[in-house]
Amino acid sequence: MIVRRKGGLTEFIPTPQEKRDGLIRDHALGLMENLHQRLARLERTSKLPAAEAEAFTALLARMRADESRNLELNASLITSDTASG
């Protein structure tokens, strides 16, 4: 994080690495889901067993639920900080 101070104002600027990490974090789950759907379609077409695809579908659902909880928690922490600040 780059910190720039001007007068009484402090500005926090993310570094390029932090921007990349945030972009990856924000889109990784969607990319994995897209890849999973494509592979599952290939597996169905090839008549391969669906057990592993179903297990990964359950894992993706759990990851989505965890991510939703994390976003809600983060939002509640932000609103509680602004309310008390």
Side-chain angles (χ1 to χ4, degrees), residues 4-21:
R4 185 168 50 185
R5 291 189 168 90
K6 186 184 279 186
L9 181 66
T10 302
E11 185 178 6
F12 297 97
I13 304 167
T15 64
Q17 179 65 39
E18 290 169 326
K19 287 180 183 178
R20 271 192 302 278
D21 291 348

PDB file of all heavy atoms in Angstrom, residues 4-21:
ATOM      1  N   ARG A   4       0.132   8.359   0.667  1.00  0.00           N
ATOM      2  CA  ARG A   4       0.503   9.698   0.249  1.00  0.00           C
ATOM      3  C   ARG A   4      -0.216  10.683   1.161  1.00  0.00           C
ATOM      4  O   ARG A   4      -1.425  10.620   1.332  1.00  0.00           O
ATOM      5  CB  ARG A   4       0.101   9.915  -1.206  1.00  0.00           C
ATOM      6  CG  ARG A   4       0.567  11.241  -1.748  1.00  0.00           C
ATOM      7  CD  ARG A   4       0.433  11.354  -3.232  1.00  0.00           C
ATOM      8  NE  ARG A   4      -0.901  10.981  -3.682  1.00  0.00           N
ATOM      9  CZ  ARG A   4      -1.252  10.909  -4.950  1.00  0.00           C
ATOM     10  NH1 ARG A   4      -0.376  11.169  -5.899  1.00  0.00           N
ATOM     11  NH2 ARG A   4      -2.464  10.564  -5.301  1.00  0.00           N
ATOM     12  N   ARG A   5       0.578  11.569   1.755  1.00  0.00           N
ATOM     13  CA  ARG A   5       0.005  12.567   2.664  1.00  0.00           C
ATOM     14  C   ARG A   5       0.111  13.945   2.036  1.00  0.00           C
ATOM     15  O   ARG A   5       1.160  14.340   1.548  1.00  0.00           O
ATOM     16  CB  ARG A   5       0.735  12.539   3.998  1.00  0.00           C
ATOM     17  CG  ARG A   5       0.463  11.274   4.774  1.00  0.00           C
ATOM     18  CD  ARG A   5       1.028  11.361   6.188  1.00  0.00           C
ATOM     19  NE  ARG A   5       0.540  10.288   7.012  1.00  0.00           N
ATOM     20  CZ  ARG A   5       1.141   9.114   7.142  1.00  0.00           C
ATOM     21  NH1 ARG A   5       2.254   8.869   6.513  1.00  0.00           N
ATOM     22  NH2 ARG A   5       0.624   8.182   7.910  1.00  0.00           N
ATOM     23  N   LYS A   6      -0.981  14.643   2.063  1.00  0.00           N
ATOM     24  CA  LYS A   6      -1.014  15.996   1.528  1.00  0.00           C
ATOM     25  C   LYS A   6      -1.839  16.838   2.493  1.00  0.00           C
ATOM     26  O   LYS A   6      -3.039  16.600   2.654  1.00  0.00           O
ATOM     27  CB  LYS A   6      -1.658  16.014   0.135  1.00  0.00           C
ATOM     28  CG  LYS A   6      -1.594  17.379  -0.541  1.00  0.00           C
ATOM     29  CD  LYS A   6      -2.320  17.359  -1.866  1.00  0.00           C
ATOM     30  CE  LYS A   6      -1.427  16.756  -2.925  1.00  0.00           C
ATOM     31  NZ  LYS A   6      -2.026  16.834  -4.273  1.00  0.00           N
ATOM     32  N   GLY A   7      -1.179  17.759   3.156  1.00  0.00           N
ATOM     33  CA  GLY A   7      -1.879  18.547   4.169  1.00  0.00           C
ATOM     34  C   GLY A   7      -2.325  17.627   5.290  1.00  0.00           C
ATOM     35  O   GLY A   7      -1.553  16.874   5.842  1.00  0.00           O
ATOM     36  N   GLY A   8      -3.600  17.675   5.624  1.00  0.00           N
ATOM     37  CA  GLY A   8      -4.137  16.791   6.667  1.00  0.00           C
ATOM     38  C   GLY A   8      -4.781  15.548   6.102  1.00  0.00           C
ATOM     39  O   GLY A   8      -5.382  14.765   6.828  1.00  0.00           O
ATOM     40  N   LEU A   9      -4.659  15.335   4.779  1.00  0.00           N
ATOM     41  CA  LEU A   9      -5.309  14.211   4.118  1.00  0.00           C
ATOM     42  C   LEU A   9      -4.311  13.079   3.875  1.00  0.00           C
ATOM     43  O   LEU A   9      -3.212  13.301   3.392  1.00  0.00           O
ATOM     44  CB  LEU A   9      -5.881  14.682   2.771  1.00  0.00           C
ATOM     45  CG  LEU A   9      -6.629  13.649   1.942  1.00  0.00           C
ATOM     46  CD1 LEU A   9      -7.908  13.233   2.655  1.00  0.00           C
ATOM     47  CD2 LEU A   9      -6.970  14.233   0.593  1.00  0.00           C
ATOM     48  N   THR A  10      -4.699  11.876   4.235  1.00  0.00           N
ATOM     49  CA  THR A  10      -3.883  10.696   3.966  1.00  0.00           C
ATOM     50  C   THR A  10      -4.589   9.872   2.909  1.00  0.00           C
ATOM     51  O   THR A  10      -5.754   9.528   3.055  1.00  0.00           O
ATOM     52  CB  THR A  10      -3.693   9.851   5.240  1.00  0.00           C
ATOM     53  OG1 THR A  10      -3.087  10.664   6.239  1.00  0.00           O
ATOM     54  CG2 THR A  10      -2.816   8.644   4.975  1.00  0.00           C
ATOM     55  N   GLU A  11      -3.888   9.552   1.841  1.00  0.00           N
ATOM     56  CA  GLU A  11      -4.456   8.777   0.742  1.00  0.00           C
ATOM     57  C   GLU A  11      -3.745   7.432   0.668  1.00  0.00           C
ATOM     58  O   GLU A  11      -2.522   7.367   0.646  1.00  0.00           O
ATOM     59  CB  GLU A  11      -4.269   9.552  -0.570  1.00  0.00           C
ATOM     60  CG  GLU A  11      -4.920   8.915  -1.745  1.00  0.00           C
ATOM     61  CD  GLU A  11      -4.754   9.757  -3.010  1.00  0.00           C
ATOM     62  OE1 GLU A  11      -4.033  10.769  -2.985  1.00  0.00           O
ATOM     63  OE2 GLU A  11      -5.340   9.372  -4.015  1.00  0.00           O
ATOM     64  N   PHE A  12      -4.524   6.367   0.659  1.00  0.00           N
ATOM     65  CA  PHE A  12      -3.971   5.023   0.563  1.00  0.00           C
ATOM     66  C   PHE A  12      -4.181   4.536  -0.862  1.00  0.00           C
ATOM     67  O   PHE A  12      -5.308   4.428  -1.327  1.00  0.00           O
ATOM     68  CB  PHE A  12      -4.645   4.085   1.558  1.00  0.00           C
ATOM     69  CG  PHE A  12      -4.413   4.477   2.982  1.00  0.00           C
ATOM     70  CD1 PHE A  12      -5.358   5.211   3.675  1.00  0.00           C
ATOM     71  CD2 PHE A  12      -3.236   4.131   3.622  1.00  0.00           C
ATOM     72  CE1 PHE A  12      -5.146   5.587   4.986  1.00  0.00           C
ATOM     73  CE2 PHE A  12      -3.012   4.490   4.933  1.00  0.00           C
ATOM     74  CZ  PHE A  12      -3.968   5.231   5.614  1.00  0.00           C
ATOM     75  N   ILE A  13      -3.091   4.240  -1.552  1.00  0.00           N
ATOM     76  CA  ILE A  13      -3.152   3.828  -2.951  1.00  0.00           C
ATOM     77  C   ILE A  13      -2.645   2.390  -3.042  1.00  0.00           C
ATOM     78  O   ILE A  13      -1.522   2.102  -2.633  1.00  0.00           O
ATOM     79  CB  ILE A  13      -2.274   4.753  -3.823  1.00  0.00           C
ATOM     80  CG1 ILE A  13      -2.699   6.205  -3.630  1.00  0.00           C
ATOM     81  CG2 ILE A  13      -2.344   4.343  -5.285  1.00  0.00           C
ATOM     82  CD1 ILE A  13      -1.711   7.211  -4.181  1.00  0.00           C
ATOM     83  N   PRO A  14      -3.468   1.472  -3.594  1.00  0.00           N
ATOM     84  CA  PRO A  14      -2.993   0.093  -3.728  1.00  0.00           C
ATOM     85  C   PRO A  14      -1.873  -0.008  -4.762  1.00  0.00           C
ATOM     86  O   PRO A  14      -1.880   0.690  -5.768  1.00  0.00           O
ATOM     87  CB  PRO A  14      -4.232  -0.675  -4.189  1.00  0.00           C
ATOM     88  CG  PRO A  14      -5.188   0.338  -4.657  1.00  0.00           C
ATOM     89  CD  PRO A  14      -4.822   1.654  -4.053  1.00  0.00           C
ATOM     90  N   THR A  15      -0.921  -0.860  -4.474  1.00  0.00           N
ATOM     91  CA  THR A  15       0.166  -1.110  -5.416  1.00  0.00           C
ATOM     92  C   THR A  15      -0.375  -1.940  -6.584  1.00  0.00           C
ATOM     93  O   THR A  15      -1.441  -2.560  -6.474  1.00  0.00           O
ATOM     94  CB  THR A  15       1.315  -1.879  -4.742  1.00  0.00           C
ATOM     95  OG1 THR A  15       0.821  -3.160  -4.351  1.00  0.00           O
ATOM     96  CG2 THR A  15       1.871  -1.136  -3.540  1.00  0.00           C
ATOM     97  N   PRO A  16       0.346  -2.001  -7.701  1.00  0.00           N
ATOM     98  CA  PRO A  16      -0.118  -2.847  -8.814  1.00  0.00           C
ATOM     99  C   PRO A  16      -0.325  -4.309  -8.404  1.00  0.00           C
ATOM    100  O   PRO A  16      -1.275  -4.942  -8.841  1.00  0.00           O
ATOM    101  CB  PRO A  16       1.001  -2.703  -9.844  1.00  0.00           C
ATOM    102  CG  PRO A  16       1.572  -1.350  -9.575  1.00  0.00           C
ATOM    103  CD  PRO A  16       1.492  -1.188  -8.078  1.00  0.00           C
ATOM    104  N   GLN A  17       0.532  -4.832  -7.547  1.00  0.00           N
ATOM    105  CA  GLN A  17       0.375  -6.214  -7.074  1.00  0.00           C
ATOM    106  C   GLN A  17      -0.924  -6.375  -6.292  1.00  0.00           C
ATOM    107  O   GLN A  17      -1.654  -7.351  -6.467  1.00  0.00           O
ATOM    108  CB  GLN A  17       1.574  -6.619  -6.200  1.00  0.00           C
ATOM    109  CG  GLN A  17       1.484  -8.028  -5.636  1.00  0.00           C
ATOM    110  CD  GLN A  17       1.526  -9.100  -6.697  1.00  0.00           C
ATOM    111  OE1 GLN A  17       2.276  -8.982  -7.654  1.00  0.00           O
ATOM    112  NE2 GLN A  17       0.731 -10.131  -6.552  1.00  0.00           N
ATOM    113  N   GLU A  18      -1.240  -5.423  -5.437  1.00  0.00           N
ATOM    114  CA  GLU A  18      -2.486  -5.484  -4.666  1.00  0.00           C
ATOM    115  C   GLU A  18      -3.700  -5.381  -5.583  1.00  0.00           C
ATOM    116  O   GLU A  18      -4.717  -6.040  -5.348  1.00  0.00           O
ATOM    117  CB  GLU A  18      -2.521  -4.374  -3.621  1.00  0.00           C
ATOM    118  CG  GLU A  18      -1.534  -4.589  -2.494  1.00  0.00           C
ATOM    119  CD  GLU A  18      -1.372  -3.381  -1.596  1.00  0.00           C
ATOM    120  OE1 GLU A  18      -1.463  -2.239  -2.093  1.00  0.00           O
ATOM    121  OE2 GLU A  18      -1.151  -3.592  -0.389  1.00  0.00           O
ATOM    122  N   LYS A  19      -3.605  -4.576  -6.627  1.00  0.00           N
ATOM    123  CA  LYS A  19      -4.700  -4.480  -7.597  1.00  0.00           C
ATOM    124  C   LYS A  19      -4.913  -5.813  -8.302  1.00  0.00           C
ATOM    125  O   LYS A  19      -6.041  -6.268  -8.476  1.00  0.00           O
ATOM    126  CB  LYS A  19      -4.417  -3.390  -8.629  1.00  0.00           C
ATOM    127  CG  LYS A  19      -4.548  -1.995  -8.082  1.00  0.00           C
ATOM    128  CD  LYS A  19      -4.252  -0.980  -9.166  1.00  0.00           C
ATOM    129  CE  LYS A  19      -4.303   0.427  -8.614  1.00  0.00           C
ATOM    130  NZ  LYS A  19      -3.967   1.414  -9.652  1.00  0.00           N
ATOM    131  N   ARG A  20      -3.808  -6.462  -8.728  1.00  0.00           N
ATOM    132  CA  ARG A  20      -3.905  -7.777  -9.381  1.00  0.00           C
ATOM    133  C   ARG A  20      -4.501  -8.807  -8.439  1.00  0.00           C
ATOM    134  O   ARG A  20      -5.374  -9.586  -8.824  1.00  0.00           O
ATOM    135  CB  ARG A  20      -2.531  -8.242  -9.851  1.00  0.00           C
ATOM    136  CG  ARG A  20      -2.166  -7.797 -11.237  1.00  0.00           C
ATOM    137  CD  ARG A  20      -0.931  -8.529 -11.752  1.00  0.00           C
ATOM    138  NE  ARG A  20       0.232  -8.361 -10.915  1.00  0.00           N
ATOM    139  CZ  ARG A  20       1.057  -7.316 -10.940  1.00  0.00           C
ATOM    140  NH1 ARG A  20       0.835  -6.332 -11.776  1.00  0.00           N
ATOM    141  NH2 ARG A  20       2.092  -7.251 -10.140  1.00  0.00           N
ATOM    142  N   ASP A  21      -4.018  -8.815  -7.188  1.00  0.00           N
ATOM    143  CA  ASP A  21      -4.533  -9.778  -6.213  1.00  0.00           C
ATOM    144  C   ASP A  21      -6.032  -9.587  -5.999  1.00  0.00           C
ATOM    145  O   ASP A  21      -6.792 -10.557  -5.927  1.00  0.00           O
ATOM    146  CB  ASP A  21      -3.804  -9.637  -4.877  1.00  0.00           C
ATOM    147  CG  ASP A  21      -2.362 -10.089  -4.943  1.00  0.00           C
ATOM    148  OD1 ASP A  21      -1.972 -10.715  -5.949  1.00  0.00           O
ATOM    149  OD2 ASP A  21      -1.612  -9.796  -3.983  1.00  0.00           O
TER     150      ASP A  21
END
